[in-house]
Amino acid sequence: MRKTITCLAAVIAIVASLTYAKSSSITVKGSDTMVILSQRWAEAFMAKNPEMSIQVTGGGSGTGISALINGTTDVCNASRPMKSSEREKLKTRYNSLGIEIKSAIDGLAVYVHENCPVTELTLAQLKAIYTGKITNWKDVGGPDGKIILYGRENSSGTYVYFRDFVLEGQDYSAMMQSLPGTAAVVNAVAKDVMGIGYGGAAYAKGVRFVKVKKDAGSPGYEPNAESIKQGLYPITRFLYMYVRSRPTGEIKSFIDWVLSAEGQEIVSKVGYFPIR
Amino acid sequence: MKPRKSFRAVFSTVLCVGLASFVFSQDENSGASNGEMEKLQEKVSDLNGQLKGLEESYLETMGTVAKLNKIKVSGYVQAQYRMLMDSAGIMDATGKYAAPAGDFSGGKFSDGTRGLLHVRRGRFKIAYDNGLAQSAVQLDATEKGVGIKDAYLSFTDPWIKSVSLKTGLFDRPFGFEISYSSSSRESPERSRLFQTLFPGERDVGAQLQIAPNERMGMVSYLNLKGGLFNGVGIGVENDDHKDFIGRLGMAIPLTDINLAVDAGVSAYIGTVTNTDTTHASVVRNAANTADSIVNTRGYSYEMIAKAFKKSDDEGMLNKTYERQYLGGDIQIYYDVPVIGGFSFRGEYIQGKQPGTSSSSGFYNPGRNSTSGVYMRNFMGYYFMYVQNLGLKNQLIVKYDSYDPNTDVEGKDIGNTATTKLSTADLQYSTLGLGLVHYWDENVKVVAYYDMVSNEKAGFTAADGKEKYNDDLNDDVLTVRIQYKF
């Protein structure tokens, strides 16, 4: 018995020493919305810390969270909060709820073609459009023509956030075309005069923002620095970084830097809004 | 070539050809003949057709992929080596065990064996998830054969997506450890308590689950599972009585302080039918001579004054006896700076359990059984501490205790002919120590040591069970490797 306990203690000591070996490489995976922002962060941080290596990949918030649970990434980027079912998996494997770090603010923009005459939509109208209850532009003050829906794939945090917040948990219309990345959504809408799409405000090129109204009696706002800071733009969300347990070592240094004035300046440059 | 790449390639070609034809048509002095123009136009038209064909093919492929995406295949294989640390005292010179060893640490050691390699679990699960309707079948394949573990279907309400109905063969909704997957559990086996009361964990039944979604605020911290089950485990029903099993749980995530507290209360309210027809009743005629023998008399035994007493009541065949468990469970999770997260889990259950003289386990008598029903009051609990050491390793300390008969102590268990008490009435406790190493996302290795202690009994020489008057040498070391997919 004593021998067994001694052996066990020795194994624990060896394991613990291997566990806490220092690493100078960080992997970051997750939200496609945050890929460009995260790459800019990584480039700037590596420039200041040449011994560090940070690898950034996308794939969607869901993919990033799965990677965090599976242990294949150190940091997960997510454009939506972690679901309780995902927290359960973290609890099961790591006995931790995961650590959530709010790293930026994003206004989730609604885009239409530059020639689309519709300039404003209420949240209720957006819900009706994306659940398939409104299918013609004339029902929201536009021309007589079928609305072509563009959206994200279901591994995307933007997909989940838009469904939970705008669609209030209801399912998207089966007619929505799911595209891999906000850039693809913007590109599709830019070519389709009957198209409508949603995604990060930072990506909007060649398309026009629709002003979003909380309800019919409220003023409409575009997602810009002023409307988001003042809490006027209705579809505003945090962009998150998640780690499995309280960050230490190089991961902590990186996250601290992201939240510093320098890191938050990059947030503004990329087109999002700083957390502080 | 992937459809999307083909699409792009053809699109580029069409663009180039189109551009070329445009430029060509602008240059009237180029000398191009009308015939060449027509050929080019034909080519463009042909490529356009191909493009449309590819687009259709791409959409069709996407549709097929979306359908296939609803099929989920998962499973795991656990191969292990187990060793009985010391068989002295329980194995005779011929290699025969005088007392079962290792039966709650992964399976009883066969006579003559102290160490063995075996497949503990070989699970393969296939599920189809259509959003609001799911179905799944899970098999367990080991060197002992193939058995069914799960076969169920489940529907979720389409409105608030919080109420679901599940029916088929699946985990009984009681406590925490039953539904905690064997592939995730840190200790190789469930506590003796659960292995005794819920062998196989599953039963056939219909269950309603209410799990409010996250949009419902604080209410989403609560969840309720409850249903009616056959009450026979993975087996065939043998009476018309159904058992109720349910759990009301809560899960409170305090993310700001990296703490989570989950807890629940559970109840099992069921019955066991007495099918004992061994003890026939003799019907006598007016002359007081035996007229006929009828199998209408089952026996039952109650604990009175530290011994089982046979009931004198007549006609107990098909009478039902209460099987009632009440339990509480708690799980606390906290992230310790630098070291990693830990969890503390505990469960307590007490109740009434019908069994036989030689077993306090989950009793499922077939028709015309050869044993009366022995009623016991039982109590059991376990607590477990799991500490993550970084991201790849875990340290485990687990203690469990199960007292199958709370009306007697060890020293009372003896003189079997009179008391009808047996080794099935002895309390056992197990202290387990272990280490888990996660090699990668699929593979984990577990080393676990079970220190098993039994209550010291008071058997006499006539009982032939004197080995139980001391703690048996039945500690077990398990080294397991698991691959999960």
Side-chain angles (χ1 to χ4, degrees), chain A residues 240-261:
Chain A
Y240 303 93
M241 294 169 89
Y242 284 98
V243 288
R244 282 172 287 255
S245 54
R246 291 184 216 217
T248 55
E250 305 301 345
I251 295 175
K252 185 175 186 315
S253 305
F254 177 57
I255 290 170
D256 286 347
W257 180 85
V258 162
L259 298 177
S260 71

Side-chain angles (χ1 to χ4, degrees), chain A residues 85-153:
Chain A
S85 57
E86 291 162 341
R87 284 197 190 279
E88 283 302 314
K89 287 178 185 165
L90 267 181
K91 269 161 67 179
T92 299
R93 171 62 183 84
Y94 300 102
N95 294 302
S96 167
L97 292 170
I99 307 294
E100 179 182 282
I101 300 126
K102 288 172 180 155
S103 57
I105 301 172
D106 181 27
L108 198 56
V110 177
Y111 325 111
V112 290
H113 190 271
E114 282 175 332
N115 296 337
C116 178
V118 175
T119 55
E120 288 187 335
L121 288 170
T122 64
L123 284 174
Q125 284 173 323
L126 279 171
K127 180 183 172 183
I129 288 170
Y130 268 94
T131 52
K133 291 186 177 73
I134 292 178
T135 56
N136 196 304
W137 280 111
K138 72 178 179 189
D139 294 331
V140 288
D144 184 8
K146 191 180 167 190
I147 302 174
I148 308 298
L149 302 175
Y150 296 100
R152 295 293 315 279
E153 291 171 323

